[in-house]
Amino acid sequence: MSEEKKWYNFDLGFTKQTAKTGTCGCGKSEGSCGSKQQPKTTIQKEEISEEAFFEAAVDASIGEERHKDGFDQVFEVKMDRRSAFRKLTASLLIGAGAVNTSCSITAGDASKEKAQIDWEEQFKGNYKLMTDDEKEATVNRLMRSYELRTGKNLSMTAENAKENVLFGYAFNISKCQGYMNCVSACVEENNQDRNSQMQYIRIHEMKDGNGFKFNDADDNYYHEVPAEGHFYMGTQCFHCDNPPCVDVCPVQATWREDDGLVVIDYDWCVGCRYCMAACPYDGRRFNWSKPEVPEKEVNKNQHYLGNRVRKKGVMEKCTFCVQRSRKGENPACVDACPTGARIFGNLLDPDSTIRWVLENKKVFRLKEDLGTEPKFWYFMD
Amino acid sequence: MRRFKVFKSLVTDSLDTITTGSKRYHLWMGLLTIIMLAGMYCYSIQLDEGLSVTGMTDRVSWGLYISNFTFLVGVAAAAVMLVMPTYILKDIDFKQAVLIGEGLAVAALIMCLAFVIADMGGPAVLWHMIPGIGVFNFPDSMLTWDVIVLNGYLFLNISIPFYILFRHYQGKDSNPKVYIPGAILSVFWAVAIHLVTAFLYQGLQARPFWNNALLGPRFLASAFAAGPALIILVLGIIKSFSSFKVKDETIKKIAMIVTVAAQINLIMLISELFKEFYAPTHHSESAFYLFFGLHGKTALLPWIWTSISLNVLAVVMLTFGRFRNNFKTLYFCCFILFVAIWIEKGFGLIVPGFIPGPYGKIAEYTPTGIEIGVTLGIWALGAFVFTILAKTAIGIETGEMRYGKKTS
Ligand code: SF4
Ligand code: SF4
């Protein structure tokens, strides 16, 4: 069972073609056994057993159940009992102000629309469970809201994971010189809070000859690099394939997408920070106060799950720049690195550089004993 | 219809009871109210600015709130130590004590929930957690288990005493067929709330300090020491301030429970220390930090050593019947034991879990004034709730409050 779960058993071998045409437990061709998670089943297909099929079926049925469990996530809200209840709590939660504005005749159209948007945003459902139309709707609302507030336009997408894509990352320890261009590129790309100097990437400066001694490493240095007698190693969220942070979330505000990205719905997170305690790699960051990015520095190319501006009291982390990677670009850190130490790509594509690295270099991952299966490898020249 | 009338009269009567009292009582309630208001003010600042007003950071992301939450779950669970003999073994001795114990459990649970909410980054979207309209990640997330067991336990601990008091209020005896199943259920439930809360931490492979099999059992042992210790103190206070009769026998029996639990707790502590320090590994660093400090960072040392010395002192004294049966020394022991376990299960457990961080970074944690203010406010809330519950229960049990009898 656990062997089957380890994705690399399937993806890094050369059996991918068989995997694609393999039979499903139900004896039908791909996808017809009702599983909703296409790419995931593709991965499992190769050795799909009775048990796996059963699981997929349960998954599918529960998935639907969950779906019903959710919300009327439509723009025009029907007043059934559930939404009526939500509206009731609403008045308590967003305060009479917004309600007033949305009802009063004298209020301007813009503020009325804004109140309407705030209302719907407050009571929308979990992005993970939204249909594509609902995703589109919330993204449109967010863009419109930004326009109403600042008078500027931004572009936000809700692009889904592509099929046959599984993102992975490799880090060349021999090349990294500790310049931290990746860090600043990441901050700019992902609209991180400037006040608290939040950074997803940490570069650990280690002493030559001591091996990987994280304990003695310095991840907060301010001096000229490369420092004599030191080497550098970067960490960030590793997008574990078996992510402990996902299981612990009480509201499923964080999950693994089908292309392997572990993402957070910032609007659904309740800020309990359980995921932060569960992450063994220091991958997560919390917005302890309202994040601030000067208007002119805001990166306007956004993705709902990626770099849109966060709010106070929610979790965030590296998304492998979902707004870029799903468009086929490299994450900002990869492009910014002057030494070429960072390699990113599709693990399912046998011709990708990352596959070449994994097949030809001696790679390793951190804390493998925890069974988290990070999709982030280290190697040396 | 009649029931409704009785209930109405019960509510008015208890309102009467809780608004009348001695000068000391009013002073006490006034003091609690002031502390609660101060706590609310601190919380409003936290709501406004975000959790950055607390001492927590990305490196130590849980602090005083979660520490207190963890400890109070234990206090709540302890009511069961009294429930069991009273309702099931018909040990009449405990009957009064158990009502007090259950009141304590209710107050502790309310504090628990308040601490969890105080710790949330987005209390306004807490409805995301309500099953049905939100998404409840059950059974994957231990936190959802905890929500279920805590609320279930709260329900049990409200309904059982309410039933009994409601019957007594009408001058009738309560029917054991009704409450005994509930009592038995609550026995298992109390163990569950504590184990589940321990599993919350125990299940995290990322934090070796928590990820050990002894955590759950140790939670239970310390809970069954600290909870009844608090009950003894409260009974002592009630005894001297009201006409409520608590037999000395009862208190002595509870003292026995405290003693045994505290001894077991100490044994487990020794086992834990042995494992961490006999053959220290990389995973023992948190324990090193807690007990001896790491790289000159020693913020927790005074706390944990205070805790350990109080713990040992209390256990040694309690073990000798001479001290245990003398109420003055008993109260003293219970008090220091309570403090010792509060440190051990709060600060001493939560904070070192984060230190050193996943990559060995040592960043210390000190709570801020606002955090302490909110914490005190919540404790005052608990004391307030408990006082109200206890006063009503005592009124009914002593016969001062009865249906049809005019209370002045
Ligand atoms: S590195 Fe941490 S945050 Fe990222 S997927 Fe793994 S456990 Fe989750
Ligand atoms: S902080 Fe947010 S994402 Fe993390 S566990 Fe809590 S609700 Fe889930």
Side-chain angles (χ1 to χ4, degrees):
Chain A
M1 188 64 209
S2 63
E3 278 305 295
E4 283 171 25
K5 264 187 158 170
K6 290 183 184 169
W7 64 272
Y8 55 76
N9 286 358
F10 305 99
D11 310 314
L12 294 188
F14 301 92
T15 49
K16 207 187 134 251
Q17 287 315 312
T18 34
K20 263 183 106 177
T21 51
T23 46
C24 184
C26 58
K28 289 179 191 161
S29 60
E30 187 174 344
S32 50
C33 60
S35 166
K36 292 191 146 187
Q37 294 169 318
Q38 284 304 341
K40 214 174 178 180
T41 23
T42 318
I43 296 161
Q44 289 176 347
K45 207 134 284 176
E46 185 191 7
E47 292 190 63
I48 202 151
S49 59
E50 287 276 44
E51 192 183 18
F53 168 61
F54 177 71
E55 261 188 22
V58 168
D59 196 45
S61 58
I62 289 182
E64 240 155 51
E65 181 70 30
R66 277 202 199 116
H67 212 92
K68 275 190 226 145
D69 213 39
F71 336 82
D72 308 299
Q73 295 160 333
V74 256
F75 204 92
E76 319 293 343
V77 194
K78 281 179 274 136
M79 277 296 252
D80 63 1
R81 222 164 33 146
R82 181 171 291 156
S83 45
F85 176 76
R86 265 168 33 206
K87 304 254 139 144
L88 262 173
T89 18
S91 45
L92 290 169
L93 291 174
I94 27 181
V99 184
N100 262 345
T101 343
S102 67
C103 301
S104 99
I105 326 162
T106 47
D109 274 354
S111 61
K112 224 163 150 181
E113 189 185 356
K114 230 179 98 207
Q116 171 77 10
I117 289 177
D118 285 350
W119 178 276
E120 270 151 20
E121 276 300 297
Q122 175 78 25
F123 293 103
K124 70 181 176 186
N126 184 338
Y127 184 86
K128 182 188 177 186
L129 305 174
M130 286 186 192
T131 62
D132 284 350
D133 288 344
E134 288 161 352
K135 288 179 182 174
E136 211 47 58
T138 177
V139 160
N140 286 335
R141 281 199 297 268
L142 289 170
M143 285 196 289
R144 178 74 184 133
S145 157
Y146 189 81
E147 197 186 338
L148 287 170
R149 269 185 294 119
T150 63
K152 303 232 167 58
N153 281 311
L154 53 78
S155 108
M156 191 189 295
T157 66
E159 208 175 341
N160 284 328
K162 290 201 185 61
E163 271 191 46
N164 280 320
V165 172
L166 187 68
F167 289 121
Y169 206 116
F171 185 98
N172 188 339
I173 303 168
S174 324
K175 282 213 171 115
C176 180
Q177 304 283 319
Y179 293 130
M180 294 224 205
N181 294 30
C182 49
V183 177
S184 37
C186 173
V187 170
E188 281 161 31
E189 169 70 28
N190 289 300
N191 296 325
Q192 280 146 46
D193 179 27
R194 306 295 203 266
N195 285 345
S196 65
Q197 303 187 337
M198 182 193 291
Q199 294 164 355
Y200 296 160
I201 304 176
R202 293 201 205 279
I203 304 287
H204 305 259
E205 186 180 69
M206 310 204 187
K207 280 206 188 61
D208 281 343
N210 278 356
F212 302 112
K213 270 253 177 71
F214 278 101
N215 282 11
D216 304 333
D218 182 3
D219 65 3
N220 204 9
Y221 54 85
Y222 295 94
H223 53 70
E224 198 173 308
V225 290
E228 185 67 31
H230 287 84
F231 69 97
Y232 300 85
M233 198 166 172
T235 59
Q236 60 205 70
C237 168
F238 290 163
H239 296 267
C240 306
D241 222 48
N242 181 19
C245 55
V246 165
D247 290 338
V248 300
C249 178
V251 292
Q252 292 189 14
T254 179
W255 65 91
R256 177 193 179 279
E257 288 270 287
D258 290 335
D259 52 6
L261 301 181
V262 175
V263 293
I264 302 167
D265 180 351
Y266 311 121
D267 290 336
W268 194 254
C269 170
V270 298
C272 66
R273 307 190 295 292
Y274 197 9
C275 53
M276 204 167 202
C279 170
Y281 301 108
D282 195 15
R284 296 193 162 232
R285 304 285 178 270
F286 189 69
N287 287 290
W288 299 95
S289 42
K290 187 173 170 13
E292 305 216 354
V293 186
E295 220 292 313
K296 56 180 187 313
E297 287 176 31
V298 172
N299 177 2
K300 303 227 166 45
N301 256 325
Q302 303 181 350
H303 189 286
Y304 183 94
L305 296 171
N307 57 347
R308 73 192 168 101
V309 178
R310 270 77 61 184
K311 48 188 182 185
K312 159 181 93 190
V314 299
M315 198 55 74
E316 63 175 281
K317 66 178 195 59
C318 158
T319 59
F320 280 168
C321 289
V322 53
Q323 66 280 359
R324 296 166 67 106
S325 49
R326 287 208 178 147
K327 291 206 190 91
E329 294 167 39
N330 274 329
C333 48
V334 175
D335 280 352
C337 179
T339 65
R342 292 173 172 267
I343 290 158
F344 178 80
N346 179 4
L347 295 165
L348 300 184
D349 171 7
D351 303 324
S352 61
T353 327
I354 183 118
R355 278 288 286 269
W356 185 88
V357 169
L358 296 189
E359 278 154 26
N360 294 288
K361 295 287 181 183
K362 315 285 178 279
V363 295
F364 69 94
R365 300 181 290 182
L366 294 182
K367 303 194 189 179
E368 292 230 43
D369 49 336
L370 299 182
T372 49
E373 303 291 335
K375 290 191 286 290
F376 195 106
W377 288 264
Y378 294 94
F379 67 100
M380 284 160 264
D381 282 338
Chain B
M1 202 51 220
R2 181 174 173 276
R3 262 202 202 142
F4 184 70
K5 244 170 86 188
V6 178
F7 181 71
K8 220 179 109 193
S9 131
L10 172 64
V11 171
T12 40
D13 273 5
S14 48
L15 272 177
D16 268 351
T17 315
I18 59 179
T19 44
T20 51
S22 64
K23 205 163 170 194
R24 263 216 216 113
Y25 171 73
H26 283 295
L27 258 174
W28 165 245
M29 294 304 260
L31 181 73
L32 290 181
T33 313
I34 290 171
I35 302 178
M36 275 195 291
L37 286 176
M40 266 148 122
Y41 174 68
C42 291
Y43 186 59
S44 73
I45 297 178
Q46 182 189 309
L47 272 186
D48 193 45
E49 312 229 329
L51 283 160
S52 54
V53 297
T54 68
M56 293 182 273
T57 58
D58 278 345
R59 312 261 190 189
V60 181
S61 51
W62 281 339
L64 200 56
Y65 298 150
I66 294 293
S67 304
N68 277 290
F69 158 77
T70 314
F71 173 72
L72 285 167
V73 171
V75 173
V80 75
M81 289 315 280
L82 307 169
V83 170
M84 185 124 101
T86 319
Y87 291 152
I88 300 164
L89 307 179
K90 306 226 167 42
D91 195 335
I92 209 72
D93 246 347
F94 283 120
K95 200 113 195 172
Q96 286 105 358
V98 82
L99 282 175
I100 301 297
E102 282 179 336
L104 210 58
V106 170
L109 285 168
I110 288 175
M111 285 194 266
C112 285
L113 297 176
F115 274 119
V116 170
I117 290 172
D119 189 65
M120 295 251 152
V125 291
L126 218 58
W127 63 270
H128 291 175
M129 245 171 135
I130 302 173
I133 58 170
V135 178
F136 199 58
N137 190 12
F138 186 83
D140 275 357
S141 171
M142 286 319 288
L143 203 56
T144 56
W145 284 75
D146 217 30
V147 169
I148 292 177
V149 290
L150 286 182
N151 283 303
Y153 194 64
L154 183 60
F155 173 75
L156 278 176
N157 274 300
I158 289 179
S159 53
I160 297 174
F162 179 78
Y163 168 73
I164 294 172
L165 289 174
F166 194 62
R167 300 286 295 186
H168 287 183
Y169 177 63
Q170 302 169 65
K172 296 177 189 161
D173 254 348
S174 39
N175 179 3
K177 281 220 183 73
V178 177
Y179 65 76
I180 287 207
I184 295 177
L185 185 61
S186 78
V187 170
F188 290 106
W189 211 287
V191 175
I193 64 168
H194 225 50
L195 272 186
V196 168
T197 309
F199 289 172
L200 210 70
Y201 308 106
Q202 203 171 327
L204 302 179
Q205 72 265 56
R207 311 280 168 187
F209 186 67
W210 295 335
N211 191 7
N212 84 60
L214 197 56
L215 201 71
R218 239 198 115 193
F219 262 53
L220 285 176
S222 62
F224 292 152
L230 184 61
I231 292 176
I232 292 183
L233 290 177
V234 170
L235 286 179
I237 294 170
I238 289 177
K239 223 169 71 159
S240 52
F241 283 108
S242 79
S243 53
F244 190 59
K245 296 263 167 340
V246 186
K247 288 203 209 97
D248 287 356
E249 268 307 297
T250 313
I251 293 191
K252 280 184 187 152
K253 275 209 174 148
I254 305 177
M256 200 63 217
I257 295 174
V258 174
T259 310
V260 174
Q263 285 165 340
I264 295 176
N265 184 36
L266 206 60
I267 293 171
M268 289 187 183
L269 174 69
I270 292 168
S271 158
E272 213 162 48
L273 290 178
F274 174 78
K275 180 239 158 190
E276 300 285 17
F277 298 119
Y278 181 72
T281 66
H282 191 72
H283 288 171
S284 309
E285 287 207 307
S286 297
F288 266 104
Y289 170 72
L290 175 62
F291 292 105
F292 304 113
L294 265 187
H295 307 296
K297 303 275 174 76
T298 54
L300 287 180
L301 284 201
W303 291 97
I304 196 67
W305 286 110
T306 314
S307 159
I308 289 184
S309 6
L310 292 181
N311 215 334
V312 171
L313 181 65
V315 171
V316 168
M317 281 177 75
L318 282 173
T319 308
F320 292 105
R322 190 145 56 91
F323 295 118
R324 193 172 62 234
N325 293 329
N326 175 332
F327 281 135
K328 281 227 175 64
T329 46
L330 176 64
Y331 293 153
F332 173 72
C333 288
C334 286
F335 179 72
I336 61 175
L337 191 64
F338 186 77
V339 173
I341 292 175
W342 178 75
I343 296 174
E344 179 195 294
K345 279 277 115 14
F347 255 62
L349 178 78
I350 303 303
V351 177
F354 292 99
I355 305 172
Y359 294 124
K361 185 84 180 179
I362 301 168
E364 297 202 283
Y365 160 80
T366 347
T368 58
I370 290 187
E371 218 171 341
I372 295 172
V374 174
T375 305
L376 289 177
I378 295 178
W379 275 93
L381 169 77
F384 194 85
V385 168
F386 175 73
T387 314
I388 290 179
L389 292 177
K391 197 146 195 296
T392 316
I394 291 171
I396 293 177
E397 287 297 292
T398 53
E400 274 165 32
M401 249 173 84
R402 271 280 183 282
Y403 180 56
K405 175 178 164 187
K406 274 247 153 53
T407 41
S408 53

